[in-house]
Amino acid sequence: MPLFGIGSAPRCALGYEGDTMALSMREVAEAFVALEKSSRRTTLVAILGDLLARAETAEMERLVYLCQGRLGPPFSAPEIGLQAKLMMHAVADATGCTEEAIRHLYDERGDIGTVAGEILPAEGRGISLMEVYHQLLAIATASGRGAQAQKIGLLADLLRRLSGPEARYVLRIAQGRLRLGVGDATILDALATSAGDPSLKEAIERCYNLSSDLGLVARVLREEGEPGLRRFQARPGRPVRPALAQRVASPEEALRRLGRCQAEPKYDGFRLQTHRVGDAVHLFSRNMEDVSGQFPEIAEATLRQVGAESAILEGEAVGYLPETGEYLPFQVTVQRRRKHRVEAMQEAIPLRLFAFDLLYADGREFLTAPLTERRAALERLVTPTPDSALALSPVLVTDDATELERFFDEMVSEGLEGIMVKRLDGAYTAGARSFNWIKLKRGYRAELADTVDCVLVGYLYGRGQRARFGIGSLLAAVYDEKRDRFQTVAKIGSGLSDEGWVKMRELLDQDSVPHRPARVDSVLQPDVWCEPHYVVEVQADEITRSPLHAAGRDGEPTGYALRFPRMVGWIRADKHPEDATTVEEIIEMFRIQRLRATSAL
Ligand code: AMP
């Protein structure tokens, strides 16, 4: 029986890829309405789990992508790429309203999905989820001359067949912003629920960490069950979710935890996986996008220097001047992350990928192999070539604190961020933070050396000067990984220019929701709530305990808060909300801060 009074809908006879179609867009929209209304995570999981359980395999796979506001996994899905203006055009076409009238409503509501939801009829013509998916795919893949007009026409055709509530979500999917409060971890839980076995969660998560593809995970779960999930292996062409590092107070503490260990420079660039599949190379960013076109020199170097038919290497790409041996600062390196004028940028900012791990080579997956074995295989595989865009990170294996400290000082004096210290027998913990890797950053001796990556969950209008922008401060949260929740840690009122505040408000308004999002914990009530989406880097003086914030509260009257927080830089486009600093890390940073304070006495 469907949950929450969602009735059964007319079945459709049309098939795609040999699948019968069980799920109507009406059922999906009804579930989405329930998701949108809910502010409890357990309810989200139950609604979504129930919907997934009713779907055929192919529908389940597509539904998972649509819930993420996409048509496929992040590394291979075509983007729908319709701006609000063009959608307004299509809505006008489909409804017979004038464009002026639509624009007027859009200016009032601020969301084209809401507008279409209001003016299209309450009952649609009965369309299946798969039909909607395939029409969206046709829109996304229309290209060449006249593509815009074709896209508008296809969207208008689709809208004519939809009810108001269905159109509300279809247009939001087309913008990549569904605003249902559902994140990847929520979908993973819902998949386990759909299979009627919550104990599958761990196997489902593992499969996701190795594939970065929730749709594929859904398919494996449905078709092969637990054994399929457990035998699933990483494969070149699909990004592996990155292993993450913990932090400690000092080199001594790192050695206490790891014993003899491997230290490497900590480069301050962006993380990149390079996948060789025969004569093809795919490069994947930290947030699983295929960025192959952006860094041709790294792709070429992979083909030249990696002695395997197929392989997955991981490293940090950083701007590097071979003539002087200088590393470029992060702000300069990130300018390479663009799709246009690649050649000119390549000349201005040469990149070098410092490979530090090997995850796969010629049919063998290395994730569970100890670091020493992965490193030895990496060294065998890569032919060193002077001045090339691919090099191996140097390593120091030691159990001596003085030697480790010296290595650290040397790296910092070369302009690097610090060092990474790794457990010699540690596996590669895909998608998870563990003490197999420990980061020691420049300035670790200062009180709060590290910045915190926060997720924005709302904003306050503010008073005084800035009230004229309609935004005075940002409500920022960190991520509670265990509970899949965003817990507030700061109210940020500085670090942005006037233009920055205006732009920030525009962006946040696109994610605004009428009530506290289901996965957000907050004591403070902002003027505008937003779906967690944007990650920003925040510098603070210290971490304090405060009754005003929810981070790490865990039933206590006080949570953790950032003192004198200020934004540094702009939004971190390479991080998903779930990549923000975690509550656990905040607690760890608090512990380290206290240790320093006492040792300084
Ligand atoms: P942080 O972003 O401060 O949590 O530090 C972790 C990041 O450091 C990783 O995600 C990598 O992008 C980067 N990094 C730089 N050098 C290394 C290295 N030698 N080993 C692992 N990660 C590294």
PDB file of all heavy atoms in Angstrom, residues 527-549:
ATOM      1  N   ASP A 527      15.455  35.034   8.246  1.00  0.00           N
ATOM      2  CA  ASP A 527      14.300  35.601   7.534  1.00  0.00           C
ATOM      3  C   ASP A 527      13.963  34.752   6.319  1.00  0.00           C
ATOM      4  O   ASP A 527      12.817  34.635   5.933  1.00  0.00           O
ATOM      5  CB  ASP A 527      14.611  37.047   7.117  1.00  0.00           C
ATOM      6  CG  ASP A 527      14.728  37.935   8.344  1.00  0.00           C
ATOM      7  OD1 ASP A 527      13.792  37.905   9.165  1.00  0.00           O
ATOM      8  OD2 ASP A 527      15.754  38.615   8.506  1.00  0.00           O
ATOM      9  N   VAL A 528      14.984  34.169   5.700  1.00  0.00           N
ATOM     10  CA  VAL A 528      14.756  33.321   4.527  1.00  0.00           C
ATOM     11  C   VAL A 528      15.513  32.002   4.718  1.00  0.00           C
ATOM     12  O   VAL A 528      16.714  32.010   4.977  1.00  0.00           O
ATOM     13  CB  VAL A 528      15.271  34.031   3.238  1.00  0.00           C
ATOM     14  CG1 VAL A 528      15.089  33.131   2.021  1.00  0.00           C
ATOM     15  CG2 VAL A 528      14.558  35.357   3.030  1.00  0.00           C
ATOM     16  N   TRP A 529      14.791  30.903   4.607  1.00  0.00           N
ATOM     17  CA  TRP A 529      15.445  29.589   4.654  1.00  0.00           C
ATOM     18  C   TRP A 529      15.853  29.197   3.246  1.00  0.00           C
ATOM     19  O   TRP A 529      15.135  29.495   2.284  1.00  0.00           O
ATOM     20  CB  TRP A 529      14.458  28.518   5.139  1.00  0.00           C
ATOM     21  CG  TRP A 529      14.142  28.524   6.588  1.00  0.00           C
ATOM     22  CD1 TRP A 529      12.948  28.850   7.152  1.00  0.00           C
ATOM     23  CD2 TRP A 529      14.999  28.130   7.669  1.00  0.00           C
ATOM     24  NE1 TRP A 529      13.002  28.702   8.512  1.00  0.00           N
ATOM     25  CE2 TRP A 529      14.250  28.261   8.860  1.00  0.00           C
ATOM     26  CE3 TRP A 529      16.320  27.693   7.752  1.00  0.00           C
ATOM     27  CZ2 TRP A 529      14.783  27.961  10.109  1.00  0.00           C
ATOM     28  CZ3 TRP A 529      16.855  27.402   8.987  1.00  0.00           C
ATOM     29  CH2 TRP A 529      16.092  27.536  10.146  1.00  0.00           C
ATOM     30  N   CYS A 530      16.974  28.495   3.107  1.00  0.00           N
ATOM     31  CA  CYS A 530      17.354  27.999   1.786  1.00  0.00           C
ATOM     32  C   CYS A 530      17.699  26.529   1.895  1.00  0.00           C
ATOM     33  O   CYS A 530      18.248  26.073   2.897  1.00  0.00           O
ATOM     34  CB  CYS A 530      18.604  28.650   1.243  1.00  0.00           C
ATOM     35  SG  CYS A 530      18.641  30.364   1.459  1.00  0.00           S
ATOM     36  N   GLU A 531      17.420  25.836   0.834  1.00  0.00           N
ATOM     37  CA  GLU A 531      17.836  24.452   0.688  1.00  0.00           C
ATOM     38  C   GLU A 531      19.377  24.438   0.749  1.00  0.00           C
ATOM     39  O   GLU A 531      20.026  25.236   0.075  1.00  0.00           O
ATOM     40  CB  GLU A 531      17.343  24.018  -0.688  1.00  0.00           C
ATOM     41  CG  GLU A 531      17.460  22.581  -1.004  1.00  0.00           C
ATOM     42  CD  GLU A 531      16.777  21.703   0.003  1.00  0.00           C
ATOM     43  OE1 GLU A 531      15.680  22.020   0.494  1.00  0.00           O
ATOM     44  OE2 GLU A 531      17.403  20.683   0.310  1.00  0.00           O
ATOM     45  N   PRO A 532      20.007  23.570   1.586  1.00  0.00           N
ATOM     46  CA  PRO A 532      21.485  23.547   1.636  1.00  0.00           C
ATOM     47  C   PRO A 532      22.045  23.279   0.239  1.00  0.00           C
ATOM     48  O   PRO A 532      21.652  22.309  -0.401  1.00  0.00           O
ATOM     49  CB  PRO A 532      21.791  22.371   2.563  1.00  0.00           C
ATOM     50  CG  PRO A 532      20.525  22.136   3.327  1.00  0.00           C
ATOM     51  CD  PRO A 532      19.394  22.609   2.480  1.00  0.00           C
ATOM     52  N   HIS A 533      22.897  24.137  -0.225  1.00  0.00           N
ATOM     53  CA  HIS A 533      23.388  24.013  -1.602  1.00  0.00           C
ATOM     54  C   HIS A 533      24.810  24.554  -1.704  1.00  0.00           C
ATOM     55  O   HIS A 533      25.719  23.855  -2.090  1.00  0.00           O
ATOM     56  CB  HIS A 533      22.413  24.790  -2.511  1.00  0.00           C
ATOM     57  CG  HIS A 533      22.756  24.751  -3.975  1.00  0.00           C
ATOM     58  ND1 HIS A 533      21.938  25.255  -4.940  1.00  0.00           N
ATOM     59  CD2 HIS A 533      23.827  24.276  -4.630  1.00  0.00           C
ATOM     60  CE1 HIS A 533      22.492  25.082  -6.126  1.00  0.00           C
ATOM     61  NE2 HIS A 533      23.636  24.498  -5.957  1.00  0.00           N
ATOM     62  N   TYR A 534      25.001  25.808  -1.283  1.00  0.00           N
ATOM     63  CA  TYR A 534      26.292  26.444  -1.496  1.00  0.00           C
ATOM     64  C   TYR A 534      27.243  26.261  -0.310  1.00  0.00           C
ATOM     65  O   TYR A 534      26.845  26.436   0.838  1.00  0.00           O
ATOM     66  CB  TYR A 534      26.106  27.932  -1.749  1.00  0.00           C
ATOM     67  CG  TYR A 534      25.390  28.197  -3.048  1.00  0.00           C
ATOM     68  CD1 TYR A 534      24.129  28.772  -3.074  1.00  0.00           C
ATOM     69  CD2 TYR A 534      25.990  27.842  -4.251  1.00  0.00           C
ATOM     70  CE1 TYR A 534      23.467  28.995  -4.284  1.00  0.00           C
ATOM     71  CE2 TYR A 534      25.342  28.050  -5.459  1.00  0.00           C
ATOM     72  CZ  TYR A 534      24.091  28.632  -5.467  1.00  0.00           C
ATOM     73  OH  TYR A 534      23.462  28.841  -6.657  1.00  0.00           O
ATOM     74  N   VAL A 535      28.505  25.944  -0.661  1.00  0.00           N
ATOM     75  CA  VAL A 535      29.541  25.809   0.364  1.00  0.00           C
ATOM     76  C   VAL A 535      30.461  27.025   0.291  1.00  0.00           C
ATOM     77  O   VAL A 535      30.877  27.420  -0.801  1.00  0.00           O
ATOM     78  CB  VAL A 535      30.361  24.514   0.136  1.00  0.00           C
ATOM     79  CG1 VAL A 535      31.516  24.413   1.111  1.00  0.00           C
ATOM     80  CG2 VAL A 535      29.461  23.298   0.238  1.00  0.00           C
ATOM     81  N   VAL A 536      30.732  27.638   1.439  1.00  0.00           N
ATOM     82  CA  VAL A 536      31.665  28.769   1.468  1.00  0.00           C
ATOM     83  C   VAL A 536      32.746  28.506   2.514  1.00  0.00           C
ATOM     84  O   VAL A 536      32.529  27.752   3.467  1.00  0.00           O
ATOM     85  CB  VAL A 536      30.955  30.106   1.796  1.00  0.00           C
ATOM     86  CG1 VAL A 536      29.919  30.460   0.743  1.00  0.00           C
ATOM     87  CG2 VAL A 536      30.304  30.083   3.176  1.00  0.00           C
ATOM     88  N   GLU A 537      33.901  29.117   2.291  1.00  0.00           N
ATOM     89  CA  GLU A 537      35.008  28.918   3.217  1.00  0.00           C
ATOM     90  C   GLU A 537      34.959  30.042   4.252  1.00  0.00           C
ATOM     91  O   GLU A 537      34.828  31.216   3.886  1.00  0.00           O
ATOM     92  CB  GLU A 537      36.310  28.971   2.424  1.00  0.00           C
ATOM     93  CG  GLU A 537      37.484  28.402   3.169  1.00  0.00           C
ATOM     94  CD  GLU A 537      38.725  28.367   2.284  1.00  0.00           C
ATOM     95  OE1 GLU A 537      38.607  28.488   1.059  1.00  0.00           O
ATOM     96  OE2 GLU A 537      39.811  28.253   2.869  1.00  0.00           O
ATOM     97  N   VAL A 538      35.056  29.660   5.511  1.00  0.00           N
ATOM     98  CA  VAL A 538      34.901  30.642   6.577  1.00  0.00           C
ATOM     99  C   VAL A 538      36.118  30.624   7.503  1.00  0.00           C
ATOM    100  O   VAL A 538      36.564  29.558   7.929  1.00  0.00           O
ATOM    101  CB  VAL A 538      33.618  30.340   7.398  1.00  0.00           C
ATOM    102  CG1 VAL A 538      33.434  31.354   8.520  1.00  0.00           C
ATOM    103  CG2 VAL A 538      32.399  30.332   6.494  1.00  0.00           C
ATOM    104  N   GLN A 539      36.621  31.820   7.757  1.00  0.00           N
ATOM    105  CA  GLN A 539      37.723  31.949   8.721  1.00  0.00           C
ATOM    106  C   GLN A 539      37.116  32.456  10.024  1.00  0.00           C
ATOM    107  O   GLN A 539      36.211  33.285  10.009  1.00  0.00           O
ATOM    108  CB  GLN A 539      38.727  32.969   8.172  1.00  0.00           C
ATOM    109  CG  GLN A 539      39.920  33.215   9.058  1.00  0.00           C
ATOM    110  CD  GLN A 539      40.982  32.145   8.873  1.00  0.00           C
ATOM    111  OE1 GLN A 539      41.498  31.982   7.783  1.00  0.00           O
ATOM    112  NE2 GLN A 539      41.282  31.410   9.933  1.00  0.00           N
ATOM    113  N   ALA A 540      37.588  31.932  11.145  1.00  0.00           N
ATOM    114  CA  ALA A 540      37.060  32.420  12.426  1.00  0.00           C
ATOM    115  C   ALA A 540      38.211  32.548  13.407  1.00  0.00           C
ATOM    116  O   ALA A 540      39.302  32.024  13.171  1.00  0.00           O
ATOM    117  CB  ALA A 540      36.026  31.450  12.956  1.00  0.00           C
ATOM    118  N   ASP A 541      37.963  33.260  14.503  1.00  0.00           N
ATOM    119  CA  ASP A 541      39.021  33.407  15.504  1.00  0.00           C
ATOM    120  C   ASP A 541      39.171  32.142  16.335  1.00  0.00           C
ATOM    121  O   ASP A 541      40.258  31.717  16.670  1.00  0.00           O
ATOM    122  CB  ASP A 541      38.729  34.590  16.425  1.00  0.00           C
ATOM    123  CG  ASP A 541      39.101  35.895  15.755  1.00  0.00           C
ATOM    124  OD1 ASP A 541      39.422  35.850  14.552  1.00  0.00           O
ATOM    125  OD2 ASP A 541      39.057  36.949  16.420  1.00  0.00           O
ATOM    126  N   GLU A 542      38.019  31.589  16.702  1.00  0.00           N
ATOM    127  CA  GLU A 542      38.070  30.334  17.470  1.00  0.00           C
ATOM    128  C   GLU A 542      36.716  29.658  17.456  1.00  0.00           C
ATOM    129  O   GLU A 542      35.732  30.212  16.969  1.00  0.00           O
ATOM    130  CB  GLU A 542      38.526  30.604  18.908  1.00  0.00           C
ATOM    131  CG  GLU A 542      37.622  31.563  19.650  1.00  0.00           C
ATOM    132  CD  GLU A 542      38.010  31.696  21.121  1.00  0.00           C
ATOM    133  OE1 GLU A 542      38.664  30.793  21.663  1.00  0.00           O
ATOM    134  OE2 GLU A 542      37.624  32.698  21.735  1.00  0.00           O
ATOM    135  N   ILE A 543      36.692  28.456  18.009  1.00  0.00           N
ATOM    136  CA  ILE A 543      35.421  27.746  18.153  1.00  0.00           C
ATOM    137  C   ILE A 543      34.998  27.887  19.607  1.00  0.00           C
ATOM    138  O   ILE A 543      35.813  27.699  20.518  1.00  0.00           O
ATOM    139  CB  ILE A 543      35.576  26.271  17.765  1.00  0.00           C
ATOM    140  CG1 ILE A 543      35.925  26.170  16.271  1.00  0.00           C
ATOM    141  CG2 ILE A 543      34.306  25.486  18.065  1.00  0.00           C
ATOM    142  CD1 ILE A 543      36.335  24.795  15.825  1.00  0.00           C
ATOM    143  N   THR A 544      33.731  28.245  19.814  1.00  0.00           N
ATOM    144  CA  THR A 544      33.247  28.394  21.194  1.00  0.00           C
ATOM    145  C   THR A 544      32.011  27.527  21.377  1.00  0.00           C
ATOM    146  O   THR A 544      31.480  26.990  20.412  1.00  0.00           O
ATOM    147  CB  THR A 544      32.829  29.858  21.487  1.00  0.00           C
ATOM    148  OG1 THR A 544      31.856  30.234  20.510  1.00  0.00           O
ATOM    149  CG2 THR A 544      33.986  30.810  21.423  1.00  0.00           C
ATOM    150  N   ARG A 545      31.574  27.382  22.633  1.00  0.00           N
ATOM    151  CA  ARG A 545      30.291  26.704  22.886  1.00  0.00           C
ATOM    152  C   ARG A 545      29.239  27.808  22.927  1.00  0.00           C
ATOM    153  O   ARG A 545      29.481  28.869  23.482  1.00  0.00           O
ATOM    154  CB  ARG A 545      30.315  25.967  24.231  1.00  0.00           C
ATOM    155  CG  ARG A 545      31.398  24.916  24.397  1.00  0.00           C
ATOM    156  CD  ARG A 545      31.347  23.824  23.358  1.00  0.00           C
ATOM    157  NE  ARG A 545      30.066  23.155  23.226  1.00  0.00           N
ATOM    158  CZ  ARG A 545      29.771  21.952  23.714  1.00  0.00           C
ATOM    159  NH1 ARG A 545      30.674  21.289  24.371  1.00  0.00           N
ATOM    160  NH2 ARG A 545      28.589  21.405  23.523  1.00  0.00           N
ATOM    161  N   SER A 546      28.088  27.559  22.349  1.00  0.00           N
ATOM    162  CA  SER A 546      27.066  28.604  22.312  1.00  0.00           C
ATOM    163  C   SER A 546      25.662  27.998  22.281  1.00  0.00           C
ATOM    164  O   SER A 546      25.429  27.008  21.590  1.00  0.00           O
ATOM    165  CB  SER A 546      27.276  29.460  21.068  1.00  0.00           C
ATOM    166  OG  SER A 546      26.103  30.176  20.773  1.00  0.00           O
ATOM    167  N   PRO A 547      24.745  28.627  23.036  1.00  0.00           N
ATOM    168  CA  PRO A 547      23.371  28.124  22.998  1.00  0.00           C
ATOM    169  C   PRO A 547      22.654  28.512  21.705  1.00  0.00           C
ATOM    170  O   PRO A 547      21.549  28.050  21.441  1.00  0.00           O
ATOM    171  CB  PRO A 547      22.716  28.833  24.197  1.00  0.00           C
ATOM    172  CG  PRO A 547      23.515  30.075  24.396  1.00  0.00           C
ATOM    173  CD  PRO A 547      24.917  29.759  23.962  1.00  0.00           C
ATOM    174  N   LEU A 548      23.293  29.360  20.899  1.00  0.00           N
ATOM    175  CA  LEU A 548      22.634  29.852  19.687  1.00  0.00           C
ATOM    176  C   LEU A 548      22.784  28.928  18.486  1.00  0.00           C
ATOM    177  O   LEU A 548      22.123  29.102  17.486  1.00  0.00           O
ATOM    178  CB  LEU A 548      23.212  31.222  19.299  1.00  0.00           C
ATOM    179  CG  LEU A 548      22.783  32.411  20.126  1.00  0.00           C
ATOM    180  CD1 LEU A 548      23.423  33.672  19.585  1.00  0.00           C
ATOM    181  CD2 LEU A 548      21.257  32.540  20.115  1.00  0.00           C
ATOM    182  N   HIS A 549      23.709  27.973  18.605  1.00  0.00           N
ATOM    183  CA  HIS A 549      23.933  27.129  17.429  1.00  0.00           C
ATOM    184  C   HIS A 549      23.724  25.645  17.711  1.00  0.00           C
ATOM    185  O   HIS A 549      23.857  25.189  18.842  1.00  0.00           O
ATOM    186  CB  HIS A 549      25.310  27.412  16.831  1.00  0.00           C
ATOM    187  CG  HIS A 549      25.319  28.725  16.102  1.00  0.00           C
ATOM    188  ND1 HIS A 549      24.693  28.899  14.897  1.00  0.00           N
ATOM    189  CD2 HIS A 549      25.821  29.934  16.450  1.00  0.00           C
ATOM    190  CE1 HIS A 549      24.810  30.169  14.523  1.00  0.00           C
ATOM    191  NE2 HIS A 549      25.493  30.810  15.442  1.00  0.00           N
TER     192      HIS A 549
END
